[in-house]
Amino acid sequence: MHIPDGYLSPITCIATYAAALPLWVIAFKKLKEELNETTLPLIASLSALSFIIMMFNIPIPGGTSGHAVGASLIAILFGPWVASVCISLVLLIQALVFGDGGITTFGANTLVMAFAASFSSYYIFNLFKQKSFASFLSGWVGVVCASIVLSLFLGVQPLIASADGQPLYFPFDFALTFPAVVGSHALFFGVVEGIFTAIAYRYIVKNRIYKGVNA
């Protein structure tokens, strides 16, 4: 799901950075409010776990890759803003140190995996909070929503950045990108994220590791 450098046009990269910047500012403020001696170890541990999960990239049709994210669990425990900044930091480290995801596309990647996944997961969990499947559904929806935003960023490239009818950046349009990206995440990666979120959330709540609003 990481978008490498060279896949998005300069105007898309600028626009996604511009959209992500104010969100990062808010997210960092929310994180500072949430951090204390009790929450810091768990937030750090879940961020590290997300880092590990996202390192397992599986190539999928449509010119990208798929993987679980780990944003949902952080979002339902600490809120979407905290989850967003945690996942953003994970993505930054992956881009700078491991070359997983681009620097020019960092803004887009955070909108996809940090913000879209975290907020959709959080609100779905709270909507179905009293149901036993809420945590699983939260994880599944988060990854699927992220894949939808990803397919939009990629699929629009041939429309906005072409020369003589030839795409200059990502070459595949929505007809190929949407079913390939969203389909694979809905059928496989979202299920993996849902199972992981459900198991980890139940373990944390059962063992009273964290007593937050959603726990």
Side-chain angles (χ1 to χ4, degrees):
M1 198 183 291
H2 292 68
I3 306 174
D5 288 318
Y7 271 43
L8 302 181
S9 63
I11 190 171
T12 306
C13 294
I14 294 171
T16 50
Y17 262 102
L21 183 58
L23 299 178
W24 289 330
V25 173
I26 298 173
F28 272 103
K29 290 181 179 178
K30 296 290 185 181
L31 178 63
K32 289 172 64 177
E33 294 172 1
E34 190 69 30
L35 286 179
N36 55 52
E37 294 181 354
T38 302
T39 61
L40 178 57
L42 184 55
I43 291 176
S45 298
L46 294 178
S47 299
L49 187 57
S50 172
F51 178 91
I52 295 172
I53 290 172
M54 285 196 281
M55 293 302 288
F56 292 93
N57 290 289
I58 300 175
I60 60 175
T64 184
S65 62
H67 53 77
V69 177
S72 301
L73 182 59
I74 306 175
I76 63 180
L77 289 174
F78 297 100
W81 290 109
V82 173
S84 296
V85 71
C86 290
I87 301 301
S88 293
L89 291 174
V90 167
L91 292 171
L92 181 62
I93 294 172
Q94 289 178 333
L96 292 176
V97 179
F98 296 94
D100 195 2
I103 301 301
T104 60
T105 58
F106 175 67
N109 282 326
T110 58
L111 292 177
V112 170
M113 287 176 276
F115 293 101
S118 298
F119 278 87
S120 58
S121 296
Y122 176 80
Y123 287 111
I124 285 294
F125 179 83
N126 280 278
L127 183 62
F128 296 97
K129 188 176 179 180
Q130 303 305 320
K131 305 294 184 179
S132 60
F133 57 81
S135 54
F136 171 85
L137 184 63
S138 171
W140 183 84
V141 168
V143 165
V144 172
C145 284
S147 70
I148 291 173
V149 178
L150 172 67
S151 68
L152 292 175
F153 286 157
L154 294 177
V156 76
Q157 297 309 305
L159 299 177
I160 64 174
S162 298
D164 298 325
Q166 297 298 317
L168 298 176
Y169 300 95
F170 187 78
F172 306 116
D173 61 14
F174 289 113
L176 176 61
T177 304
F178 190 87
V181 174
V182 179
S184 60
H185 283 82
L187 295 175
F188 180 68
F189 301 109
V191 175
V192 172
E193 178 91 1
I195 293 173
F196 161 75
T197 304
I199 293 175
Y201 177 75
R202 290 173 186 172
Y203 176 83
I204 290 172
V205 172
K206 180 180 179 180
N207 291 276
R208 300 180 180 181
I209 296 175
Y210 175 68
K211 297 180 180 180
V213 174
N214 287 315

PDB file of all heavy atoms in Angstrom, residues 94-109:
ATOM      1  N   GLN A  94      10.021   4.276   7.868  1.00  0.00           N
ATOM      2  CA  GLN A  94      10.104   3.302   6.781  1.00  0.00           C
ATOM      3  C   GLN A  94      10.609   3.948   5.496  1.00  0.00           C
ATOM      4  O   GLN A  94      11.388   3.350   4.756  1.00  0.00           O
ATOM      5  CB  GLN A  94       8.728   2.669   6.556  1.00  0.00           C
ATOM      6  CG  GLN A  94       8.308   1.737   7.676  1.00  0.00           C
ATOM      7  CD  GLN A  94       6.918   1.157   7.468  1.00  0.00           C
ATOM      8  OE1 GLN A  94       6.075   1.771   6.800  1.00  0.00           O
ATOM      9  NE2 GLN A  94       6.673  -0.005   8.024  1.00  0.00           N
ATOM     10  N   ALA A  95      10.168   5.167   5.222  1.00  0.00           N
ATOM     11  CA  ALA A  95      10.588   5.847   3.999  1.00  0.00           C
ATOM     12  C   ALA A  95      12.055   6.262   4.059  1.00  0.00           C
ATOM     13  O   ALA A  95      12.798   6.093   3.092  1.00  0.00           O
ATOM     14  CB  ALA A  95       9.704   7.066   3.758  1.00  0.00           C
ATOM     15  N   LEU A  96      12.474   6.816   5.201  1.00  0.00           N
ATOM     16  CA  LEU A  96      13.837   7.340   5.323  1.00  0.00           C
ATOM     17  C   LEU A  96      14.886   6.242   5.474  1.00  0.00           C
ATOM     18  O   LEU A  96      15.975   6.333   4.909  1.00  0.00           O
ATOM     19  CB  LEU A  96      13.925   8.283   6.530  1.00  0.00           C
ATOM     20  CG  LEU A  96      13.145   9.602   6.416  1.00  0.00           C
ATOM     21  CD1 LEU A  96      13.239  10.373   7.724  1.00  0.00           C
ATOM     22  CD2 LEU A  96      13.671  10.448   5.263  1.00  0.00           C
ATOM     23  N   VAL A  97      14.554   5.214   6.227  1.00  0.00           N
ATOM     24  CA  VAL A  97      15.552   4.185   6.564  1.00  0.00           C
ATOM     25  C   VAL A  97      15.493   2.980   5.634  1.00  0.00           C
ATOM     26  O   VAL A  97      16.530   2.443   5.231  1.00  0.00           O
ATOM     27  CB  VAL A  97      15.383   3.724   8.032  1.00  0.00           C
ATOM     28  CG1 VAL A  97      16.405   2.644   8.386  1.00  0.00           C
ATOM     29  CG2 VAL A  97      15.496   4.909   8.982  1.00  0.00           C
ATOM     30  N   PHE A  98      14.284   2.568   5.271  1.00  0.00           N
ATOM     31  CA  PHE A  98      14.137   1.334   4.505  1.00  0.00           C
ATOM     32  C   PHE A  98      13.700   1.562   3.056  1.00  0.00           C
ATOM     33  O   PHE A  98      13.594   0.597   2.293  1.00  0.00           O
ATOM     34  CB  PHE A  98      13.125   0.412   5.195  1.00  0.00           C
ATOM     35  CG  PHE A  98      13.561  -0.044   6.557  1.00  0.00           C
ATOM     36  CD1 PHE A  98      13.158   0.640   7.690  1.00  0.00           C
ATOM     37  CD2 PHE A  98      14.392  -1.139   6.707  1.00  0.00           C
ATOM     38  CE1 PHE A  98      13.565   0.235   8.958  1.00  0.00           C
ATOM     39  CE2 PHE A  98      14.803  -1.556   7.954  1.00  0.00           C
ATOM     40  CZ  PHE A  98      14.391  -0.871   9.088  1.00  0.00           C
ATOM     41  N   GLY A  99      13.410   2.790   2.681  1.00  0.00           N
ATOM     42  CA  GLY A  99      12.977   3.061   1.318  1.00  0.00           C
ATOM     43  C   GLY A  99      11.625   2.463   0.999  1.00  0.00           C
ATOM     44  O   GLY A  99      11.302   2.215  -0.164  1.00  0.00           O
ATOM     45  N   ASP A 100      10.828   2.210   2.023  1.00  0.00           N
ATOM     46  CA  ASP A 100       9.498   1.638   1.841  1.00  0.00           C
ATOM     47  C   ASP A 100       8.495   2.787   1.802  1.00  0.00           C
ATOM     48  O   ASP A 100       8.085   3.319   2.834  1.00  0.00           O
ATOM     49  CB  ASP A 100       9.181   0.689   2.994  1.00  0.00           C
ATOM     50  CG  ASP A 100       7.993  -0.204   2.689  1.00  0.00           C
ATOM     51  OD1 ASP A 100       7.458  -0.110   1.566  1.00  0.00           O
ATOM     52  OD2 ASP A 100       7.603  -1.001   3.558  1.00  0.00           O
ATOM     53  N   GLY A 101       8.085   3.171   0.597  1.00  0.00           N
ATOM     54  CA  GLY A 101       7.301   4.387   0.419  1.00  0.00           C
ATOM     55  C   GLY A 101       8.229   5.546   0.125  1.00  0.00           C
ATOM     56  O   GLY A 101       9.367   5.584   0.594  1.00  0.00           O
ATOM     57  N   GLY A 102       7.762   6.496  -0.656  1.00  0.00           N
ATOM     58  CA  GLY A 102       8.625   7.589  -1.078  1.00  0.00           C
ATOM     59  C   GLY A 102       8.585   8.794  -0.164  1.00  0.00           C
ATOM     60  O   GLY A 102       7.718   8.918   0.699  1.00  0.00           O
ATOM     61  N   ILE A 103       9.555   9.686  -0.381  1.00  0.00           N
ATOM     62  CA  ILE A 103       9.583  10.954   0.346  1.00  0.00           C
ATOM     63  C   ILE A 103       8.604  11.938  -0.284  1.00  0.00           C
ATOM     64  O   ILE A 103       7.859  12.629   0.414  1.00  0.00           O
ATOM     65  CB  ILE A 103      11.005  11.551   0.352  1.00  0.00           C
ATOM     66  CG1 ILE A 103      11.993  10.581   1.005  1.00  0.00           C
ATOM     67  CG2 ILE A 103      11.012  12.901   1.088  1.00  0.00           C
ATOM     68  CD1 ILE A 103      11.638  10.221   2.434  1.00  0.00           C
ATOM     69  N   THR A 104       8.589  11.996  -1.605  1.00  0.00           N
ATOM     70  CA  THR A 104       7.653  12.899  -2.277  1.00  0.00           C
ATOM     71  C   THR A 104       6.205  12.451  -2.063  1.00  0.00           C
ATOM     72  O   THR A 104       5.284  13.270  -2.107  1.00  0.00           O
ATOM     73  CB  THR A 104       7.935  12.963  -3.788  1.00  0.00           C
ATOM     74  OG1 THR A 104       7.809  11.653  -4.359  1.00  0.00           O
ATOM     75  CG2 THR A 104       9.333  13.497  -4.051  1.00  0.00           C
ATOM     76  N   THR A 105       6.007  11.169  -1.833  1.00  0.00           N
ATOM     77  CA  THR A 105       4.661  10.624  -1.651  1.00  0.00           C
ATOM     78  C   THR A 105       4.321  10.394  -0.178  1.00  0.00           C
ATOM     79  O   THR A 105       3.292   9.781   0.133  1.00  0.00           O
ATOM     80  CB  THR A 105       4.505   9.293  -2.404  1.00  0.00           C
ATOM     81  OG1 THR A 105       5.505   8.364  -1.932  1.00  0.00           O
ATOM     82  CG2 THR A 105       4.684   9.497  -3.903  1.00  0.00           C
ATOM     83  N   PHE A 106       5.154  10.903   0.720  1.00  0.00           N
ATOM     84  CA  PHE A 106       4.908  10.694   2.147  1.00  0.00           C
ATOM     85  C   PHE A 106       3.567  11.287   2.590  1.00  0.00           C
ATOM     86  O   PHE A 106       2.834  10.686   3.376  1.00  0.00           O
ATOM     87  CB  PHE A 106       6.056  11.296   2.964  1.00  0.00           C
ATOM     88  CG  PHE A 106       5.836  11.240   4.452  1.00  0.00           C
ATOM     89  CD1 PHE A 106       5.802  10.030   5.111  1.00  0.00           C
ATOM     90  CD2 PHE A 106       5.670  12.410   5.184  1.00  0.00           C
ATOM     91  CE1 PHE A 106       5.590   9.964   6.487  1.00  0.00           C
ATOM     92  CE2 PHE A 106       5.459  12.369   6.555  1.00  0.00           C
ATOM     93  CZ  PHE A 106       5.422  11.140   7.212  1.00  0.00           C
ATOM     94  N   GLY A 107       3.248  12.473   2.078  1.00  0.00           N
ATOM     95  CA  GLY A 107       1.966  13.085   2.418  1.00  0.00           C
ATOM     96  C   GLY A 107       0.796  12.211   1.997  1.00  0.00           C
ATOM     97  O   GLY A 107      -0.155  12.007   2.757  1.00  0.00           O
ATOM     98  N   ALA A 108       0.874  11.680   0.792  1.00  0.00           N
ATOM     99  CA  ALA A 108      -0.194  10.803   0.301  1.00  0.00           C
ATOM    100  C   ALA A 108      -0.279   9.528   1.123  1.00  0.00           C
ATOM    101  O   ALA A 108      -1.369   9.059   1.469  1.00  0.00           O
ATOM    102  CB  ALA A 108       0.047  10.469  -1.170  1.00  0.00           C
ATOM    103  N   ASN A 109       0.869   8.951   1.445  1.00  0.00           N
ATOM    104  CA  ASN A 109       0.875   7.714   2.222  1.00  0.00           C
ATOM    105  C   ASN A 109       0.269   7.906   3.607  1.00  0.00           C
ATOM    106  O   ASN A 109      -0.416   7.018   4.128  1.00  0.00           O
ATOM    107  CB  ASN A 109       2.298   7.168   2.340  1.00  0.00           C
ATOM    108  CG  ASN A 109       2.759   6.472   1.077  1.00  0.00           C
ATOM    109  OD1 ASN A 109       1.971   5.848   0.373  1.00  0.00           O
ATOM    110  ND2 ASN A 109       4.046   6.589   0.759  1.00  0.00           N
TER     111      ASN A 109
END
